[in-house]
Amino acid sequence: MGRVLAVFVSAVAYGALCFPPWAWSWLAWIVLVPLLLVLRGSGPLKAFIWTAGWGYLATISVIAWLLPTLTGHFEWSQPLSLGFIVGFGVVAAAPFYGLGGVLYGAAARRHGPLAGAVLFAACWVVGEFARTHLGFRTPWALLGDSQAEAIRIRQLADLGGVYLVTAMVAFVNACLAELILVCHRVLQRSQASPRLALPVAGAAVAVLLASNVYGELRRRQFAPTESAFKVALVQGNVPPQLRWRSSTASHVVRRYGSLTRNLLLEREEPDPDLILWPENAIQTPLDHPTYGAAIQRVAMRSPVLLGAPRNEVLEGSNRAYNSAVLVDASGTVGSYDKRRLLPFSETRPLGDWLSLGERGDLDAGSYSAGQSPGLFAVNGEMLGVLICMEGLYPDLSREAVLGGASLLINLSNDGWYRGLGGAEQHLRQVVFRAIENRRPLLRATTTGISAIVGPDGSIVASLPQDATGVLEHAVPETPVGLSPYTRAGDLFAWSCVAIAGFAARPRQKKSDSG
């Protein structure tokens, strides 16, 4: 019973307290210790059960905002909403945490305290890396994401991505657990010597010191300084139910158009180099004779990048895309189609049997995925566009920067969040894309939080949730060159896969000779 309670407290504390609205980043450095004490000495099967259960509890704790979202925004019944959350935790989270547990359980007993701590960090990264790329691909609330407000620790992401931050936090947790075990054995007068604690304690202190020193140096190097490129982020704060209905489409266009025109009227300073409207800013295609023309009139003075649907006929079938479209004085310049679609909302992985439901007559229901990265050249800057949850995937932002992007753009519709923490969690995870690639990031959302993020992950300026307004600001200066992460990609994560796989391999029995 004590083990069950330890795992329960650890998981719920992680999900409820390490991320917004509480965002106790310091807690992440010790919150895994109870789980580790339970895991130490467990075989692969027990380790899978403990870590899968931990992952399940942690996931449903961190997405507690999903219940009021399903019942409030999507108007599901409470039993159906609870069932969905339970099923989501079982399918999208538990197996991947369990994977890390299996690997750790298969090898931990063969290694000493320090090697065991390294192994645990590698196995935890393997679970998160797999969760990002397999199944429903839901990398929400990674361990490294808990350090989004730790101004020095988060700088490690430019070396190995957010996965390196995860590894450092997991390693320190494992060292603390090993210290507790050594101290317990000493107190029990077993064969353990207090000297066994010295390498583990020294390693934990060394990791913390090195991480903070590196982070401080990089933070100073990439502290945001203003460039000459000016942007305006328009946050219309339109009620979600109005965006999806043809009967209210004119109201939505007028809201964004009015905010933009008020920005441009009677200006003494130069017009912005770029105006951003969020994902799903309008839900009528830009070839609509009325709304398309209205948007082009707005774009006569400054180019507008906005979220809008795009339709095409391909191989005899009609396809709908959730797109970002660039419009300037000459008309539509180009578009980017979202590639990582949100399960159950933009896709139907289980068909019509289970979906979040159509939100209005303008909702296509199921969308097709795009195939190419979104790159747009605007007034001397190359924009790399990510739509909504695409900002959670390190590989997409890296691909954009390798394609020449000097500025990352995240257009998002966060108007469907209910409860506490959802919008804040989303923003805090996206800031790692700026740090990993050392590129400023602009985030325009429907209802907030819209923000300008510096290449060091700092929030330079923002508009709060449920506010209507325009955020006008100079973009932080773009550093020269590519970061180590941009150059090497997920090499660190793959190294963790190799370490965990090699350590967990079956031991070969020695054959008798003669």
Side-chain angles (χ1 to χ4, degrees):
M1 188 62 186
R3 292 187 174 191
V4 173
L5 181 60
V7 171
F8 177 86
V9 171
S10 172
V12 173
Y14 175 84
L17 300 177
C18 291
F19 298 91
W22 293 100
W24 291 356
S25 59
W26 60 268
L27 183 60
W29 296 87
I30 61 174
V31 76
L32 298 181
V33 171
L35 173 65
L36 276 152
L37 294 176
V38 172
L39 289 180
R40 201 68 168 114
S42 298
L45 178 59
K46 287 185 178 180
F48 174 85
I49 294 172
W50 287 122
T51 52
W54 188 98
Y56 168 77
L57 291 170
T59 298
I60 63 174
S61 297
V62 80
I63 60 170
W65 47 264
L66 188 55
L67 180 59
T69 296
L70 293 174
T71 57
H73 178 73
F74 293 103
E75 299 180 348
W76 281 16
S77 67
Q78 194 160 25
L80 180 60
S81 300
L82 286 170
F84 179 86
I85 293 172
V86 168
F88 181 83
V90 169
V91 174
F96 302 105
Y97 286 101
L99 171 63
V102 164
L103 295 171
Y104 180 69
R109 287 181 288 185
R110 306 175 195 169
H111 302 281
L114 186 56
V118 172
L119 176 63
F120 177 77
C123 290
W124 201 267
V125 169
V126 169
E128 291 193 342
F129 192 53
R131 181 156 60 96
T132 302
H133 295 281
L134 301 176
F136 290 126
R137 297 188 295 185
T138 54
W140 192 270
L142 305 180
L143 179 59
D145 290 330
S146 68
Q147 303 305 298
E149 296 182 3
I151 59 175
R152 295 177 182 85
I153 298 297
R154 70 189 183 200
Q155 307 305 325
L156 293 170
D158 80 340
L159 291 175
V162 68
Y163 304 112
L164 178 57
V165 184
T166 284
M168 295 299 100
V169 179
F171 177 78
V172 171
N173 272 274
C175 287
L176 291 175
E178 294 292 351
L179 287 173
I180 291 173
L181 288 172
V182 170
C183 291
H184 175 73
R185 292 171 189 148
V186 170
L187 291 174
Q188 294 297 318
R189 297 182 179 179
S190 67
Q191 296 179 353
S193 168
R195 294 179 180 177
L196 292 176
L198 294 179
V200 178
V205 171
V207 163
L208 286 171
L209 285 176
S211 298
N212 278 279
V213 169
Y214 176 83
E216 179 63 19
L217 293 175
R218 296 298 267 177
R219 186 181 70 86
R220 292 182 181 182
Q221 182 179 2
F222 295 112
T225 55
E226 292 186 0
S227 69
F229 193 82
K230 302 293 193 300
V231 295
L233 283 59
V234 183
Q235 185 170 296
N237 198 32
V238 177
Q241 62 270 22
L242 299 185
R243 287 196 299 270
W244 303 96
R245 300 172 183 170
S246 55
S247 59
T248 54
S250 59
H251 170 83
V252 177
V253 175
R254 282 199 303 271
R255 170 74 66 89
Y256 282 98
S258 175
L259 288 168
T260 305
R261 285 191 295 271
N262 291 341
L263 167 74
L264 297 175
L265 287 175
E266 301 178 359
R267 292 175 61 90
E268 294 183 0
E269 62 270 27
D271 292 338
D273 295 286
L274 175 66
I275 297 171
L276 295 179
W277 293 6
E279 177 195 24
N280 304 140
I282 66 169
Q283 279 305 110
T284 50
L286 292 189
D287 57 6
H288 188 285
T290 302
Y291 304 135
I295 293 169
Q296 186 172 344
R297 287 194 296 272
V298 172
M300 291 299 292
R301 290 174 57 174
S302 293
V304 178
L305 181 66
L306 72 152
R310 191 180 72 84
N311 301 314
E312 71 174 4
V313 177
L314 189 63
E315 298 178 352
S317 62
N318 294 318
R319 297 195 179 187
Y321 298 92
N322 182 2
S323 303
V325 184
L326 181 65
V327 182
D328 66 9
S330 64
T332 300
V333 176
S335 63
Y336 163 67
D337 303 321
K338 186 177 181 182
R339 291 181 285 170
R340 299 279 171 88
L341 301 173
L342 188 63
F344 303 106
S345 178
E346 296 171 316
T347 65
R348 299 289 187 265
L350 300 179
D352 294 331
W353 181 74
L354 183 63
S355 70
L356 296 181
E358 292 187 4
R359 291 153 285 196
D361 62 309
L362 294 178
D363 185 4
S366 183
Y367 293 85
S368 298
Q371 302 298 320
S372 304
L375 294 168
F376 300 98
V378 176
N379 291 333
E381 294 280 354
M382 182 66 77
L383 315 180
V385 181
L386 309 167
I387 298 179
C388 196
M389 297 294 180
E390 290 185 325
L392 304 183
Y393 298 92
D395 58 305
L396 295 184
S397 57
R398 173 178 178 262
E399 183 180 6
V401 174
L402 287 175
S406 55
L407 181 59
L408 295 173
I409 307 290
N410 181 219
L411 305 183
S412 186
N413 173 13
D414 286 1
W416 52 281
Y417 289 117
R418 296 289 188 273
L420 298 175
E424 293 91 342
Q425 290 174 13
H426 197 179
L427 171 62
R428 292 302 184 270
Q429 294 169 86
V430 170
V431 302
F432 279 96
R433 308 295 85 81
I435 303 168
E436 287 164 347
N437 300 283
R438 294 302 180 190
R439 294 291 185 268
L441 183 145
L442 310 179
R443 189 164 190 269
T445 70
T446 50
T447 58
I449 305 167
S450 298
I452 296 175
V453 183
D456 66 340
S458 59
I459 307 298
V460 177
S462 65
L463 282 172
Q465 197 171 4
D466 299 324
T468 303
V470 178
L471 180 63
E472 188 176 7
H473 206 279
V475 172
E477 189 68 39
T478 300
V480 177
L482 301 177
S483 72
Y485 174 78
T486 305
R487 294 178 184 276
D490 290 322
L491 178 62
F492 174 78
W494 283 112
S495 299
C496 290
V497 173
I499 291 171
F502 179 80
R505 75 194 189 284
R507 302 173 76 176
Q508 293 182 352
K509 295 182 179 180
K510 294 182 179 180
S511 59
D512 295 332
S513 60

